[in-house]
Amino acid sequence: MEMTTLLVHVDDGIMHIRLNRPEVFNACNNVMTTELQKAFSEAGTDERVRCVVLSGSGRAFCSGQDLKEAPGSEGQGTLRDALETRYNPIIRAMTSLPKPIIASINGVAAGAGLSLALAADIRIMSSAAKLVEAFSAIALVPDSGATFFYTRMLGYAQAFEFATRNGQFTAEQALKLGMVNMVVSPDVLDAAVLSLAKEYAAGPTTSYGYIKTLLRTAQTATLDEMLDHEREYQQKAGETQDYAEGVRAFQEKRKPAFSGR
Protein backbone atom coordinates (compact mmCIF):
# COMPACT_ATOMS: atom_id res chain seq x y z
CA MET A 1 0.00 0.00 0.00
CA GLU A 2 1.63 3.25 -1.19
CA MET A 3 1.52 5.83 1.61
CA THR A 4 3.48 8.99 2.38
CA THR A 5 2.56 9.51 6.07
CA LEU A 6 2.03 5.90 7.15
CA LEU A 7 4.04 2.70 7.11
CA VAL A 8 1.64 -0.16 6.36
CA HIS A 9 2.31 -3.85 5.89
CA VAL A 10 0.60 -7.18 6.53
CA ASP A 11 2.48 -10.03 8.14
CA ASP A 12 1.12 -13.29 9.63
CA GLY A 13 -2.45 -12.00 9.64
CA ILE A 14 -1.52 -8.68 11.29
CA MET A 15 -1.83 -5.33 9.54
CA HIS A 16 0.70 -2.93 11.01
CA ILE A 17 -0.25 0.73 10.59
CA ARG A 18 2.49 3.05 11.83
CA LEU A 19 1.99 6.82 11.85
CA ASN A 20 5.15 8.14 10.23
CA ARG A 21 5.66 11.86 10.73
CA PRO A 22 8.13 11.62 13.63
CA GLU A 23 9.55 15.10 13.00
CA VAL A 24 6.20 16.58 14.18
CA PHE A 25 5.38 13.83 16.71
CA ASN A 26 3.08 12.17 14.15
CA ALA A 27 0.70 15.13 14.05
CA CYS A 28 -2.22 14.57 11.72
CA ASN A 29 -2.29 16.56 8.51
CA ASN A 30 -4.74 16.28 5.63
CA VAL A 31 -2.76 13.54 3.94
CA MET A 32 -2.43 11.41 7.06
CA THR A 33 -6.16 11.44 7.83
CA THR A 34 -6.94 10.49 4.23
CA GLU A 35 -4.41 7.67 4.35
CA LEU A 36 -5.74 6.41 7.69
CA GLN A 37 -9.21 6.15 6.16
CA LYS A 38 -7.74 4.18 3.28
CA ALA A 39 -5.72 1.89 5.56
CA PHE A 40 -8.67 0.95 7.76
CA SER A 41 -10.85 0.42 4.69
CA GLU A 42 -8.21 -1.99 3.37
CA ALA A 43 -8.06 -3.73 6.74
CA GLY A 44 -11.78 -4.40 6.52
CA THR A 45 -11.70 -5.89 3.02
CA ASP A 46 -8.36 -7.74 3.06
CA GLU A 47 -9.09 -11.34 4.05
CA ARG A 48 -5.47 -11.82 5.12
CA VAL A 49 -5.94 -9.30 7.94
CA ARG A 50 -7.19 -10.75 11.22
CA CYS A 51 -5.81 -8.10 13.60
CA VAL A 52 -4.58 -4.49 13.29
CA VAL A 53 -1.79 -2.81 15.24
CA LEU A 54 -1.77 1.01 15.25
CA SER A 55 1.46 2.64 16.43
CA GLY A 56 3.61 5.75 16.04
CA SER A 57 7.13 6.32 14.76
CA GLY A 58 9.80 7.99 16.84
CA ARG A 59 9.05 9.37 20.30
CA ALA A 60 5.28 9.90 20.01
CA PHE A 61 2.13 7.97 19.27
CA CYS A 62 0.27 10.99 17.86
CA SER A 63 0.25 14.61 19.00
CA GLY A 64 -3.12 15.34 17.39
CA GLN A 65 -3.96 17.82 14.64
CA ASP A 66 -1.01 19.48 12.90
CA LEU A 67 -1.72 23.12 13.71
CA LYS A 68 0.18 24.23 10.59
CA GLU A 69 -2.88 22.91 8.75
CA ALA A 70 -5.39 23.80 11.46
CA PRO A 71 -9.02 23.70 10.31
CA GLY A 72 -10.60 27.13 10.52
CA SER A 73 -7.43 28.90 9.39
CA GLU A 74 -7.10 30.43 5.95
CA GLY A 75 -7.48 27.90 3.13
CA GLN A 76 -8.12 24.93 5.45
CA GLY A 77 -11.93 24.79 5.55
CA THR A 78 -14.09 24.76 8.65
CA LEU A 79 -13.68 22.73 11.81
CA ARG A 80 -17.04 21.11 11.10
CA ASP A 81 -15.91 19.99 7.65
CA ALA A 82 -12.61 18.64 9.01
CA LEU A 83 -14.43 16.42 11.50
CA GLU A 84 -17.08 15.29 9.03
CA THR A 85 -14.71 14.41 6.20
CA ARG A 86 -11.42 13.60 7.93
CA TYR A 87 -11.59 12.49 11.57
CA ASN A 88 -15.09 11.09 12.10
CA PRO A 89 -14.75 8.57 9.24
CA ILE A 90 -11.58 7.20 10.85
CA ILE A 91 -13.22 6.74 14.25
CA ARG A 92 -16.27 5.12 12.66
CA ALA A 93 -14.06 2.81 10.60
CA MET A 94 -12.07 1.76 13.66
CA THR A 95 -15.03 1.11 15.94
CA SER A 96 -16.96 -0.79 13.27
CA LEU A 97 -14.02 -2.81 11.93
CA PRO A 98 -14.94 -6.48 12.60
CA LYS A 99 -11.37 -7.26 13.64
CA PRO A 100 -9.41 -6.44 16.81
CA ILE A 101 -7.36 -3.22 16.83
CA ILE A 102 -4.45 -2.85 19.24
CA ALA A 103 -3.04 0.62 19.92
CA SER A 104 0.65 0.57 20.79
CA ILE A 105 1.12 3.82 22.71
CA ASN A 106 4.87 4.39 22.61
CA GLY A 107 4.81 8.09 23.51
CA VAL A 108 2.45 11.00 23.94
CA ALA A 109 -1.10 10.56 22.65
CA ALA A 110 -2.73 13.98 22.61
CA GLY A 111 -5.92 15.57 21.30
CA ALA A 112 -7.22 13.71 18.26
CA GLY A 113 -4.25 11.37 18.65
CA LEU A 114 -5.65 10.31 22.00
CA SER A 115 -9.02 9.72 20.34
CA LEU A 116 -7.32 7.39 17.85
CA ALA A 117 -5.86 5.39 20.72
CA LEU A 118 -9.17 5.24 22.59
CA ALA A 119 -11.01 4.07 19.46
CA ALA A 120 -8.88 0.92 19.45
CA ASP A 121 -10.13 -2.22 21.20
CA ILE A 122 -7.03 -2.77 23.34
CA ARG A 123 -4.32 -0.32 24.37
CA ILE A 124 -0.81 -1.29 25.46
CA MET A 125 1.15 1.68 26.76
CA SER A 126 4.80 2.38 27.37
CA SER A 127 5.51 3.36 30.95
CA ALA A 128 7.20 6.49 29.56
CA ALA A 129 4.15 7.63 27.58
CA LYS A 130 1.40 10.09 28.51
CA LEU A 131 -2.22 10.67 27.56
CA VAL A 132 -2.90 14.38 27.07
CA GLU A 133 -6.18 16.27 26.66
CA ALA A 134 -5.07 19.12 24.41
CA PHE A 135 -8.30 20.66 23.09
CA SER A 136 -9.11 23.09 25.91
CA ALA A 137 -5.58 24.52 25.75
CA ILE A 138 -6.53 26.14 22.43
CA ALA A 139 -10.15 26.88 23.44
CA LEU A 140 -11.71 23.97 21.54
CA VAL A 141 -13.86 21.06 22.69
CA PRO A 142 -12.78 17.40 22.64
CA ASP A 143 -13.69 15.73 19.36
CA SER A 144 -13.13 12.60 17.26
CA GLY A 145 -15.19 10.63 19.79
CA ALA A 146 -13.30 11.94 22.81
CA THR A 147 -16.38 12.99 24.80
CA PHE A 148 -17.90 9.54 24.20
CA PHE A 149 -14.76 7.68 25.26
CA TYR A 150 -13.92 9.92 28.23
CA THR A 151 -17.31 9.66 29.92
CA ARG A 152 -17.57 5.90 29.51
CA MET A 153 -14.03 5.24 30.71
CA LEU A 154 -13.77 7.86 33.44
CA GLY A 155 -17.30 8.81 34.50
CA TYR A 156 -18.65 12.33 34.24
CA ALA A 157 -16.69 14.06 37.02
CA GLN A 158 -13.27 12.73 36.00
CA ALA A 159 -14.07 13.29 32.33
CA PHE A 160 -15.09 16.91 32.95
CA GLU A 161 -11.93 17.67 34.91
CA PHE A 162 -9.70 15.95 32.34
CA ALA A 163 -11.36 17.77 29.43
CA THR A 164 -11.42 21.24 30.97
CA ARG A 165 -8.06 21.40 32.73
CA ASN A 166 -5.86 20.31 29.83
CA GLY A 167 -5.32 17.11 31.75
CA GLN A 168 -2.49 14.61 31.52
CA PHE A 169 -2.36 11.01 32.68
CA THR A 170 0.79 9.02 33.18
CA ALA A 171 0.79 5.40 32.07
CA GLU A 172 0.17 4.17 35.60
CA GLN A 173 -2.71 6.60 36.09
CA ALA A 174 -4.22 5.56 32.76
CA LEU A 175 -3.98 1.91 33.75
CA LYS A 176 -5.59 2.54 37.13
CA LEU A 177 -8.45 4.47 35.49
CA GLY A 178 -9.05 1.73 32.92
CA MET A 179 -8.02 3.78 29.89
CA VAL A 180 -5.36 1.25 28.89
CA ASN A 181 -5.15 -2.52 29.28
CA MET A 182 -1.46 -2.95 29.97
CA VAL A 183 1.62 -0.87 30.79
CA VAL A 184 5.10 -2.18 29.95
CA SER A 185 8.59 -0.74 29.89
CA PRO A 186 9.57 0.98 26.63
CA ASP A 187 12.11 -1.70 25.69
CA VAL A 188 9.52 -4.49 25.63
CA LEU A 189 6.54 -2.56 24.17
CA ASP A 190 6.93 -3.87 20.63
CA ALA A 191 7.34 -7.46 21.80
CA ALA A 192 4.30 -7.27 24.08
CA VAL A 193 2.14 -5.80 21.33
CA LEU A 194 3.30 -8.36 18.77
CA SER A 195 2.65 -11.25 21.15
CA LEU A 196 -0.93 -10.12 21.72
CA ALA A 197 -1.47 -9.36 18.03
CA LYS A 198 -0.33 -12.88 17.09
CA GLU A 199 -2.79 -14.31 19.62
CA TYR A 200 -5.65 -12.39 18.05
CA ALA A 201 -4.51 -13.16 14.50
CA ALA A 202 -4.69 -16.87 15.31
CA GLY A 203 -8.11 -16.62 16.93
CA PRO A 204 -11.73 -16.88 15.69
CA THR A 205 -11.80 -13.57 13.82
CA THR A 206 -15.49 -13.62 12.95
CA SER A 207 -16.38 -14.28 16.58
CA TYR A 208 -14.16 -11.39 17.68
CA GLY A 209 -15.99 -9.13 15.24
CA TYR A 210 -19.36 -10.18 16.67
CA ILE A 211 -18.12 -9.61 20.23
CA LYS A 212 -16.85 -6.15 19.26
CA THR A 213 -20.22 -5.25 17.73
CA LEU A 214 -22.12 -6.50 20.77
CA LEU A 215 -19.94 -4.65 23.28
CA ARG A 216 -20.10 -1.41 21.28
CA THR A 217 -23.87 -1.74 20.99
CA ALA A 218 -24.22 -2.50 24.72
CA GLN A 219 -22.91 0.97 25.60
CA THR A 220 -26.22 2.52 24.55
CA ALA A 221 -28.69 -0.42 24.57
CA THR A 222 -31.02 -1.85 27.20
CA LEU A 223 -30.69 -5.33 28.69
CA ASP A 224 -33.70 -6.58 26.74
CA GLU A 225 -32.18 -5.26 23.51
CA MET A 226 -28.86 -6.94 24.27
CA LEU A 227 -30.54 -10.28 25.02
CA ASP A 228 -32.07 -10.11 21.54
CA HIS A 229 -28.77 -9.09 19.91
CA GLU A 230 -26.90 -11.88 21.70
CA ARG A 231 -29.44 -14.42 20.52
CA GLU A 232 -28.95 -13.42 16.89
CA TYR A 233 -25.17 -13.13 16.98
CA GLN A 234 -24.81 -16.42 18.83
CA GLN A 235 -26.68 -18.12 16.00
CA LYS A 236 -24.35 -16.45 13.46
CA ALA A 237 -21.28 -17.52 15.45
CA GLY A 238 -22.59 -21.08 15.62
CA GLU A 239 -22.70 -21.20 11.84
CA THR A 240 -19.00 -20.39 11.38
CA GLN A 241 -16.28 -22.85 10.43
CA ASP A 242 -14.37 -21.83 13.55
CA TYR A 243 -17.20 -22.94 15.83
CA ALA A 244 -17.14 -26.39 14.25
CA GLU A 245 -13.36 -26.48 14.59
CA GLY A 246 -13.55 -25.33 18.21
CA VAL A 247 -15.95 -28.14 19.10
CA ARG A 248 -13.82 -30.73 17.27
CA ALA A 249 -10.67 -29.52 19.00
CA PHE A 250 -12.36 -29.70 22.41
CA GLN A 251 -13.54 -33.25 21.74
CA GLU A 252 -10.12 -34.28 20.45
CA LYS A 253 -8.35 -32.54 23.34
CA ARG A 254 -6.14 -30.38 21.12
CA LYS A 255 -5.63 -26.70 20.42
CA PRO A 256 -8.06 -25.40 17.78
CA ALA A 257 -6.68 -24.23 14.43
CA PHE A 258 -9.00 -21.32 13.68
CA SER A 259 -9.22 -19.98 10.14
CA GLY A 260 -11.05 -16.77 10.98
CA ARG A 261 -14.14 -17.91 9.05
Side-chain angles (χ1 to χ4, degrees), residues 43-180:
T45 58
D46 191 336
E47 293 185 355
R48 298 174 301 161
V49 177
R50 297 171 65 182
C51 178
V52 176
V53 171
L54 179 64
S55 61
S57 298
R59 294 184 294 153
F61 175 76
C62 178
S63 58
Q65 168 65 39
D66 188 340
L67 294 183
K68 292 179 181 178
E69 296 185 11
S73 58
E74 186 175 353
Q76 294 298 326
T78 67
L79 290 159
R80 179 188 295 109
D81 290 342
L83 290 172
E84 186 62 27
T85 63
R86 294 175 54 206
Y87 288 99
N88 291 355
I90 298 169
I91 302 303
R92 289 188 173 109
M94 292 178 67
T95 54
S96 65
L97 185 73
K99 302 170 184 181
I101 302 173
I102 302 170
S104 176
I105 308 173
N106 58 304
V108 65
L114 175 53
S115 294
L116 288 176
L118 298 182
D121 302 301
I122 286 188
R123 286 161 291 282
I124 301 181
M125 189 172 179
S126 161
S127 57
K130 289 184 178 180
L131 306 183
V132 180
E133 162 46 53
F135 292 100
S136 60
I138 54 172
L140 290 179
V141 302
D143 63 29
S144 304
T147 57
F148 180 91
F149 300 130
Y150 292 173
T151 51
R152 281 155 180 79
M153 294 180 181
L154 300 173
Y156 176 82
Q158 288 263 28
F160 183 84
E161 181 178 12
F162 184 60
T164 56
R165 299 188 67 191
N166 195 30
Q168 295 187 22
F169 289 135
T170 65
E172 290 302 326
Q173 287 173 318
L175 181 65
K176 184 177 181 180
L177 290 166
M179 297 182 79
V180 298

